[in-house]
PDB file of all heavy atoms in Angstrom:
ATOM      1  N   HIS A 122      46.078  -3.600 104.788  1.00 98.00           N
ATOM      2  CA  HIS A 122      46.181  -4.083 103.359  1.00 98.00           C
ATOM      3  C   HIS A 122      47.134  -3.092 102.626  1.00 98.00           C
ATOM      4  O   HIS A 122      46.794  -1.890 102.691  1.00 98.00           O
ATOM      5  CB  HIS A 122      44.832  -4.253 102.844  1.00 98.00           C
ATOM      6  CG  HIS A 122      44.921  -5.002 101.438  1.00 98.00           C
ATOM      7  ND1 HIS A 122      45.388  -6.280 101.353  1.00 98.00           N
ATOM      8  CD2 HIS A 122      44.685  -4.530 100.213  1.00 98.00           C
ATOM      9  CE1 HIS A 122      45.293  -6.638 100.044  1.00 98.00           C
ATOM     10  NE2 HIS A 122      44.806  -5.571  99.317  1.00 98.00           N
ATOM     11  N   LYS A 123      47.957  -3.713 101.808  1.00 98.00           N
ATOM     12  CA  LYS A 123      48.718  -2.940 100.809  1.00 98.00           C
ATOM     13  C   LYS A 123      48.682  -3.582  99.405  1.00 98.00           C
ATOM     14  O   LYS A 123      48.702  -4.859  99.503  1.00 98.00           O
ATOM     15  CB  LYS A 123      50.116  -2.803 101.181  1.00 98.00           C
ATOM     16  CG  LYS A 123      50.429  -2.026 102.458  1.00 98.00           C
ATOM     17  CD  LYS A 123      51.900  -2.014 102.855  1.00 98.00           C
ATOM     18  CE  LYS A 123      52.156  -1.447 104.226  1.00 98.00           C
ATOM     19  NZ  LYS A 123      53.497  -1.510 104.668  1.00 98.00           N
ATOM     20  N   TYR A 124      48.475  -2.893  98.412  1.00 98.00           N
ATOM     21  CA  TYR A 124      48.443  -3.455  97.080  1.00 98.00           C
ATOM     22  C   TYR A 124      49.180  -2.538  96.196  1.00 98.00           C
ATOM     23  O   TYR A 124      48.957  -1.378  96.164  1.00 98.00           O
ATOM     24  CB  TYR A 124      47.038  -3.547  96.590  1.00 98.00           C
ATOM     25  CG  TYR A 124      46.981  -3.987  95.160  1.00 98.00           C
ATOM     26  CD1 TYR A 124      47.332  -5.168  94.612  1.00 98.00           C
ATOM     27  CD2 TYR A 124      46.613  -2.910  94.107  1.00 98.00           C
ATOM     28  CE1 TYR A 124      47.352  -5.431  93.302  1.00 98.00           C
ATOM     29  CE2 TYR A 124      46.636  -3.152  92.716  1.00 98.00           C
ATOM     30  CZ  TYR A 124      46.995  -4.496  92.389  1.00 98.00           C
ATOM     31  OH  TYR A 124      47.057  -4.657  91.042  1.00 98.00           O
ATOM     32  N   VAL A 125      50.200  -3.115  95.467  1.00 97.00           N
ATOM     33  CA  VAL A 125      50.985  -2.352  94.486  1.00 97.00           C
ATOM     34  C   VAL A 125      50.584  -2.731  93.091  1.00 97.00           C
ATOM     35  O   VAL A 125      50.273  -3.868  92.794  1.00 97.00           O
ATOM     36  CB  VAL A 125      52.488  -2.837  94.553  1.00 97.00           C
ATOM     37  CG1 VAL A 125      53.306  -2.062  93.593  1.00 97.00           C
ATOM     38  CG2 VAL A 125      53.105  -2.408  96.007  1.00 97.00           C
ATOM     39  N   LYS A 126      50.145  -1.552  92.393  1.00 97.00           N
ATOM     40  CA  LYS A 126      49.697  -1.662  91.065  1.00 97.00           C
ATOM     41  C   LYS A 126      50.422  -2.704  90.106  1.00 97.00           C
ATOM     42  O   LYS A 126      51.638  -2.513  90.036  1.00 97.00           O
ATOM     43  CB  LYS A 126      49.570  -0.329  90.427  1.00 97.00           C
ATOM     44  CG  LYS A 126      48.783  -0.198  89.098  1.00 97.00           C
ATOM     45  CD  LYS A 126      48.741   1.221  88.662  1.00 97.00           C
ATOM     46  CE  LYS A 126      47.956   1.429  87.342  1.00 97.00           C
ATOM     47  NZ  LYS A 126      47.835   2.833  87.044  1.00 97.00           N
ATOM     48  N   MET A 127      49.797  -3.667  89.590  1.00 96.00           N
ATOM     49  CA  MET A 127      50.429  -4.760  88.896  1.00 96.00           C
ATOM     50  C   MET A 127      50.650  -4.331  87.389  1.00 96.00           C
ATOM     51  O   MET A 127      51.600  -4.870  86.729  1.00 96.00           O
ATOM     52  CB  MET A 127      49.573  -6.121  89.018  1.00 96.00           C
ATOM     53  CG  MET A 127      49.581  -6.668  90.314  1.00 96.00           C
ATOM     54  SD  MET A 127      48.461  -8.018  90.525  1.00 96.00           S
ATOM     55  CE  MET A 127      49.257  -9.279  89.567  1.00 96.00           C
ATOM     56  N   CYS A 128      49.858  -3.373  86.964  1.00 95.00           N
ATOM     57  CA  CYS A 128      49.927  -3.068  85.403  1.00 95.00           C
ATOM     58  C   CYS A 128      50.033  -1.516  85.362  1.00 95.00           C
ATOM     59  O   CYS A 128      49.117  -0.823  85.009  1.00 95.00           O
ATOM     60  CB  CYS A 128      48.799  -3.524  84.730  1.00 95.00           C
ATOM     61  SG  CYS A 128      48.728  -5.393  84.561  1.00 95.00           S
ATOM     62  N   PRO A 129      51.117  -1.054  85.555  1.00 93.00           N
ATOM     63  CA  PRO A 129      51.384   0.566  85.351  1.00 93.00           C
ATOM     64  C   PRO A 129      51.083   0.860  83.996  1.00 93.00           C
ATOM     65  O   PRO A 129      51.330  -0.008  83.068  1.00 93.00           O
ATOM     66  CB  PRO A 129      52.886   0.751  85.640  1.00 93.00           C
ATOM     67  CG  PRO A 129      53.221  -0.423  86.500  1.00 93.00           C
ATOM     68  CD  PRO A 129      52.449  -1.577  86.128  1.00 93.00           C
ATOM     69  N   TRP A 130      50.562   1.986  83.831  1.00 89.00           N
ATOM     70  CA  TRP A 130      49.977   2.552  82.474  1.00 89.00           C
ATOM     71  C   TRP A 130      51.183   3.103  81.690  1.00 89.00           C
ATOM     72  O   TRP A 130      51.631   4.232  81.884  1.00 89.00           O
ATOM     73  CB  TRP A 130      48.898   3.604  82.664  1.00 89.00           C
ATOM     74  CG  TRP A 130      48.198   3.855  81.527  1.00 89.00           C
ATOM     75  CD1 TRP A 130      47.542   3.039  80.602  1.00 89.00           C
ATOM     76  CD2 TRP A 130      47.934   5.215  80.930  1.00 89.00           C
ATOM     77  NE1 TRP A 130      47.006   3.722  79.629  1.00 89.00           N
ATOM     78  CE2 TRP A 130      47.143   5.069  79.715  1.00 89.00           C
ATOM     79  CE3 TRP A 130      48.353   6.470  81.385  1.00 89.00           C
ATOM     80  CZ2 TRP A 130      46.743   6.221  79.000  1.00 89.00           C
ATOM     81  CZ3 TRP A 130      47.858   7.598  80.602  1.00 89.00           C
ATOM     82  CH2 TRP A 130      47.109   7.384  79.548  1.00 89.00           C
ATOM     83  N   LEU A 131      51.767   2.204  80.856  1.00 84.00           N
ATOM     84  CA  LEU A 131      52.877   2.646  80.155  1.00 84.00           C
ATOM     85  C   LEU A 131      52.477   3.385  78.911  1.00 84.00           C
ATOM     86  O   LEU A 131      51.330   3.127  78.266  1.00 84.00           O
ATOM     87  CB  LEU A 131      53.668   1.296  79.656  1.00 84.00           C
ATOM     88  CG  LEU A 131      54.220   0.496  80.811  1.00 84.00           C
ATOM     89  CD1 LEU A 131      54.789  -0.849  80.228  1.00 84.00           C
ATOM     90  CD2 LEU A 131      55.190   1.145  81.645  1.00 84.00           C
ATOM     91  N   PRO A 132      53.411   4.390  78.484  1.00 82.00           N
ATOM     92  CA  PRO A 132      54.742   4.648  78.926  1.00 82.00           C
ATOM     93  C   PRO A 132      54.674   5.787  79.922  1.00 82.00           C
ATOM     94  O   PRO A 132      55.824   6.311  80.374  1.00 82.00           O
ATOM     95  CB  PRO A 132      55.466   5.193  77.764  1.00 82.00           C
ATOM     96  CG  PRO A 132      54.465   5.894  76.915  1.00 82.00           C
ATOM     97  CD  PRO A 132      53.103   5.145  77.251  1.00 82.00           C
ATOM     98  N   TRP A 133      53.458   6.240  80.503  1.00 82.00           N
ATOM     99  CA  TRP A 133      53.547   7.396  81.315  1.00 82.00           C
ATOM    100  C   TRP A 133      53.827   7.166  82.786  1.00 82.00           C
ATOM    101  O   TRP A 133      53.935   8.138  83.638  1.00 82.00           O
ATOM    102  CB  TRP A 133      52.150   8.172  81.164  1.00 82.00           C
ATOM    103  CG  TRP A 133      51.909   8.692  79.816  1.00 82.00           C
ATOM    104  CD1 TRP A 133      52.296   9.983  79.510  1.00 82.00           C
ATOM    105  CD2 TRP A 133      51.327   8.180  78.747  1.00 82.00           C
ATOM    106  NE1 TRP A 133      51.973  10.194  78.140  1.00 82.00           N
ATOM    107  CE2 TRP A 133      51.326   9.041  77.668  1.00 82.00           C
ATOM    108  CE3 TRP A 133      50.622   6.872  78.444  1.00 82.00           C
ATOM    109  CZ2 TRP A 133      50.850   8.905  76.356  1.00 82.00           C
ATOM    110  CZ3 TRP A 133      50.194   6.659  77.215  1.00 82.00           C
ATOM    111  CH2 TRP A 133      50.237   7.660  76.199  1.00 82.00           C
ATOM    112  N   GLU A 134      53.794   5.917  83.136  1.00 86.00           N
ATOM    113  CA  GLU A 134      53.772   5.657  84.578  1.00 86.00           C
ATOM    114  C   GLU A 134      55.018   4.563  84.957  1.00 86.00           C
ATOM    115  O   GLU A 134      54.833   3.482  84.969  1.00 86.00           O
ATOM    116  CB  GLU A 134      52.467   4.989  85.092  1.00 86.00           C
ATOM    117  CG  GLU A 134      52.511   4.755  86.616  1.00 86.00           C
ATOM    118  CD  GLU A 134      51.229   4.070  87.066  1.00 86.00           C
ATOM    119  OE1 GLU A 134      50.320   3.869  86.099  1.00 86.00           O
ATOM    120  OE2 GLU A 134      51.006   3.679  88.135  1.00 86.00           O
ATOM    121  N   PRO A 135      56.160   5.296  85.194  1.00 82.00           N
ATOM    122  CA  PRO A 135      57.402   4.382  85.352  1.00 82.00           C
ATOM    123  C   PRO A 135      57.541   3.924  86.787  1.00 82.00           C
ATOM    124  O   PRO A 135      58.463   4.364  87.462  1.00 82.00           O
ATOM    125  CB  PRO A 135      58.553   5.434  84.981  1.00 82.00           C
ATOM    126  CG  PRO A 135      57.971   6.764  85.408  1.00 82.00           C
ATOM    127  CD  PRO A 135      56.534   6.752  85.200  1.00 82.00           C
ATOM    128  N   THR A 136      56.637   3.054  87.253  1.00 90.00           N
ATOM    129  CA  THR A 136      56.600   2.669  88.537  1.00 90.00           C
ATOM    130  C   THR A 136      57.017   1.093  88.686  1.00 90.00           C
ATOM    131  O   THR A 136      56.764   0.455  87.569  1.00 90.00           O
ATOM    132  CB  THR A 136      55.320   2.780  89.293  1.00 90.00           C
ATOM    133  OG1 THR A 136      54.297   2.111  88.505  1.00 90.00           O
ATOM    134  CG2 THR A 136      54.971   4.257  89.430  1.00 90.00           C
ATOM    135  N   VAL A 137      57.336   0.631  89.783  1.00 92.00           N
ATOM    136  CA  VAL A 137      57.679  -0.779  90.001  1.00 92.00           C
ATOM    137  C   VAL A 137      56.391  -1.565  90.053  1.00 92.00           C
ATOM    138  O   VAL A 137      55.578  -1.334  91.014  1.00 92.00           O
ATOM    139  CB  VAL A 137      58.585  -1.066  91.171  1.00 92.00           C
ATOM    140  CG1 VAL A 137      58.922  -2.506  91.289  1.00 92.00           C
ATOM    141  CG2 VAL A 137      59.909  -0.232  90.960  1.00 92.00           C
ATOM    142  N   PRO A 138      56.109  -2.664  89.334  1.00 94.00           N
ATOM    143  CA  PRO A 138      54.833  -3.252  89.411  1.00 94.00           C
ATOM    144  C   PRO A 138      54.783  -4.249  90.553  1.00 94.00           C
ATOM    145  O   PRO A 138      55.805  -4.774  91.009  1.00 94.00           O
ATOM    146  CB  PRO A 138      54.675  -3.948  88.100  1.00 94.00           C
ATOM    147  CG  PRO A 138      56.143  -4.266  87.743  1.00 94.00           C
ATOM    148  CD  PRO A 138      56.880  -3.067  88.105  1.00 94.00           C
ATOM    149  N   GLY A 139      53.519  -4.438  91.069  1.00 95.00           N
ATOM    150  CA  GLY A 139      53.372  -5.489  92.155  1.00 95.00           C
ATOM    151  C   GLY A 139      53.292  -6.813  91.466  1.00 95.00           C
ATOM    152  O   GLY A 139      53.316  -7.021  90.257  1.00 95.00           O
ATOM    153  N   ARG A 140      53.276  -7.802  92.310  1.00 94.00           N
ATOM    154  CA  ARG A 140      53.272  -9.277  91.851  1.00 94.00           C
ATOM    155  C   ARG A 140      52.083 -10.009  92.298  1.00 94.00           C
ATOM    156  O   ARG A 140      51.919 -11.175  91.942  1.00 94.00           O
ATOM    157  CB  ARG A 140      54.461  -9.958  92.294  1.00 94.00           C
ATOM    158  CG  ARG A 140      55.769  -9.375  91.757  1.00 94.00           C
ATOM    159  CD  ARG A 140      55.931  -9.747  90.359  1.00 94.00           C
ATOM    160  NE  ARG A 140      57.242  -9.352  89.840  1.00 94.00           N
ATOM    161  CZ  ARG A 140      57.509  -8.191  89.310  1.00 94.00           C
ATOM    162  NH1 ARG A 140      56.614  -7.251  89.195  1.00 94.00           N
ATOM    163  NH2 ARG A 140      58.787  -7.857  88.823  1.00 94.00           N
ATOM    164  N   GLU A 141      51.158  -9.426  93.108  1.00 95.00           N
ATOM    165  CA  GLU A 141      49.972 -10.269  93.576  1.00 95.00           C
ATOM    166  C   GLU A 141      48.861  -9.336  93.995  1.00 95.00           C
ATOM    167  O   GLU A 141      49.112  -8.223  94.259  1.00 95.00           O
ATOM    168  CB  GLU A 141      50.363 -11.207  94.743  1.00 95.00           C
ATOM    169  CG  GLU A 141      50.837 -10.417  95.934  1.00 95.00           C
ATOM    170  CD  GLU A 141      51.129 -11.426  97.039  1.00 95.00           C
ATOM    171  OE1 GLU A 141      50.752 -12.606  96.882  1.00 95.00           O
ATOM    172  OE2 GLU A 141      51.722 -10.941  98.025  1.00 95.00           O
ATOM    173  N   CYS A 142      47.548  -9.795  93.876  1.00 97.00           N
ATOM    174  CA  CYS A 142      46.441  -9.036  94.287  1.00 97.00           C
ATOM    175  C   CYS A 142      45.886  -9.826  95.455  1.00 97.00           C
ATOM    176  O   CYS A 142      45.036 -10.776  95.285  1.00 97.00           O
ATOM    177  CB  CYS A 142      45.410  -8.927  93.106  1.00 97.00           C
ATOM    178  SG  CYS A 142      44.086  -7.887  93.427  1.00 97.00           S
ATOM    179  N   GLY A 143      46.139  -9.375  96.620  1.00 97.00           N
ATOM    180  CA  GLY A 143      45.711 -10.034  97.859  1.00 97.00           C
ATOM    181  C   GLY A 143      44.338  -9.450  98.344  1.00 97.00           C
ATOM    182  O   GLY A 143      43.700  -8.558  97.688  1.00 97.00           O
ATOM    183  N   VAL A 144      43.868 -10.096  99.354  1.00 98.00           N
ATOM    184  CA  VAL A 144      42.606  -9.796  99.999  1.00 98.00           C
ATOM    185  C   VAL A 144      42.729  -9.646 101.446  1.00 98.00           C
ATOM    186  O   VAL A 144      43.562 -10.253 102.068  1.00 98.00           O
ATOM    187  CB  VAL A 144      41.558 -10.932  99.604  1.00 98.00           C
ATOM    188  CG1 VAL A 144      40.274 -10.794 100.329  1.00 98.00           C
ATOM    189  CG2 VAL A 144      41.323 -11.022  98.101  1.00 98.00           C
ATOM    190  N   CYS A 145      41.930  -8.686 102.069  1.00 98.00           N
ATOM    191  CA  CYS A 145      41.952  -8.579 103.469  1.00 98.00           C
ATOM    192  C   CYS A 145      40.405  -8.614 103.917  1.00 98.00           C
ATOM    193  O   CYS A 145      39.505  -8.311 103.158  1.00 98.00           O
ATOM    194  CB  CYS A 145      42.658  -7.351 103.922  1.00 98.00           C
ATOM    195  SG  CYS A 145      41.701  -5.753 103.631  1.00 98.00           S
ATOM    196  N   GLN A 146      40.228  -8.915 105.276  1.00 97.00           N
ATOM    197  CA  GLN A 146      38.903  -8.870 105.861  1.00 97.00           C
ATOM    198  C   GLN A 146      38.548  -7.399 106.146  1.00 97.00           C
ATOM    199  O   GLN A 146      39.334  -6.809 106.741  1.00 97.00           O
ATOM    200  CB  GLN A 146      38.945  -9.681 107.165  1.00 97.00           C
ATOM    201  CG  GLN A 146      37.517  -9.886 107.647  1.00 97.00           C
ATOM    202  CD  GLN A 146      36.610 -10.645 106.893  1.00 97.00           C
ATOM    203  OE1 GLN A 146      37.053 -11.811 106.473  1.00 97.00           O
ATOM    204  NE2 GLN A 146      35.377 -10.196 106.683  1.00 97.00           N
ATOM    205  N   GLY A 147      37.369  -7.060 105.702  1.00 97.00           N
ATOM    206  CA  GLY A 147      36.802  -5.681 105.963  1.00 97.00           C
ATOM    207  C   GLY A 147      35.616  -5.697 106.801  1.00 97.00           C
ATOM    208  O   GLY A 147      35.220  -6.818 107.400  1.00 97.00           O
ATOM    209  N   PRO A 148      34.941  -4.653 106.913  1.00 96.00           N
ATOM    210  CA  PRO A 148      33.730  -4.630 107.810  1.00 96.00           C
ATOM    211  C   PRO A 148      32.561  -5.252 107.080  1.00 96.00           C
ATOM    212  O   PRO A 148      32.541  -5.401 106.007  1.00 96.00           O
ATOM    213  CB  PRO A 148      33.423  -3.059 107.962  1.00 96.00           C
ATOM    214  CG  PRO A 148      34.043  -2.452 106.735  1.00 96.00           C
ATOM    215  CD  PRO A 148      35.248  -3.229 106.437  1.00 96.00           C
ATOM    216  N   LYS A 149      31.612  -5.612 107.933  1.00 95.00           N
ATOM    217  CA  LYS A 149      30.295  -6.200 107.474  1.00 95.00           C
ATOM    218  C   LYS A 149      30.435  -7.438 106.485  1.00 95.00           C
ATOM    219  O   LYS A 149      29.742  -7.498 105.497  1.00 95.00           O
ATOM    220  CB  LYS A 149      29.506  -5.080 106.738  1.00 95.00           C
ATOM    221  CG  LYS A 149      29.261  -3.838 107.541  1.00 95.00           C
ATOM    222  CD  LYS A 149      28.490  -4.072 108.892  1.00 95.00           C
ATOM    223  CE  LYS A 149      28.308  -2.788 109.768  1.00 95.00           C
ATOM    224  NZ  LYS A 149      27.595  -1.823 109.155  1.00 95.00           N
ATOM    225  N   GLY A 150      31.379  -8.158 106.795  1.00 93.00           N
ATOM    226  CA  GLY A 150      31.602  -9.433 105.994  1.00 93.00           C
ATOM    227  C   GLY A 150      32.311  -9.196 104.757  1.00 93.00           C
ATOM    228  O   GLY A 150      32.291 -10.149 103.783  1.00 93.00           O
ATOM    229  N   ALA A 151      32.840  -8.022 104.433  1.00 96.00           N
ATOM    230  CA  ALA A 151      33.417  -7.786 103.271  1.00 96.00           C
ATOM    231  C   ALA A 151      34.847  -8.443 103.280  1.00 96.00           C
ATOM    232  O   ALA A 151      35.614  -8.420 104.305  1.00 96.00           O
ATOM    233  CB  ALA A 151      33.703  -6.262 103.050  1.00 96.00           C
ATOM    234  N   LYS A 152      35.233  -9.036 102.083  1.00 97.00           N
ATOM    235  CA  LYS A 152      36.608  -9.453 101.801  1.00 97.00           C
ATOM    236  C   LYS A 152      37.025  -8.625 100.711  1.00 97.00           C
ATOM    237  O   LYS A 152      36.577  -8.754  99.595  1.00 97.00           O
ATOM    238  CB  LYS A 152      36.511 -11.016 101.446  1.00 97.00           C
ATOM    239  CG  LYS A 152      36.240 -11.852 102.613  1.00 97.00           C
ATOM    240  CD  LYS A 152      36.188 -13.367 102.319  1.00 97.00           C
ATOM    241  CE  LYS A 152      35.889 -14.104 103.578  1.00 97.00           C
ATOM    242  NZ  LYS A 152      35.787 -15.665 103.217  1.00 97.00           N
ATOM    243  N   LEU A 153      38.002  -7.764 101.072  1.00 98.00           N
ATOM    244  CA  LEU A 153      38.288  -6.635 100.111  1.00 98.00           C
ATOM    245  C   LEU A 153      39.522  -6.842  99.403  1.00 98.00           C
ATOM    246  O   LEU A 153      40.613  -7.326  99.941  1.00 98.00           O
ATOM    247  CB  LEU A 153      38.536  -5.310 100.995  1.00 98.00           C
ATOM    248  CG  LEU A 153      37.322  -4.920 101.973  1.00 98.00           C
ATOM    249  CD1 LEU A 153      37.813  -3.825 102.777  1.00 98.00           C
ATOM    250  CD2 LEU A 153      36.198  -4.429 101.075  1.00 98.00           C
TER     251      LEU A 153
END
Side-chain angles (χ1 to χ4, degrees):
H122 184 69
K123 299 177 186 177
Y124 167 73
V125 177
K126 188 175 184 177
M127 293 171 69
C128 293
W130 192 50
L131 300 175
W133 290 276
E134 188 182 351
T136 59
V137 178
R140 293 292 187 269
E141 61 181 347
C142 189
V144 172
C145 75
Q146 187 68 49
K149 306 297 178 62
K152 295 181 179 179
L153 304 170

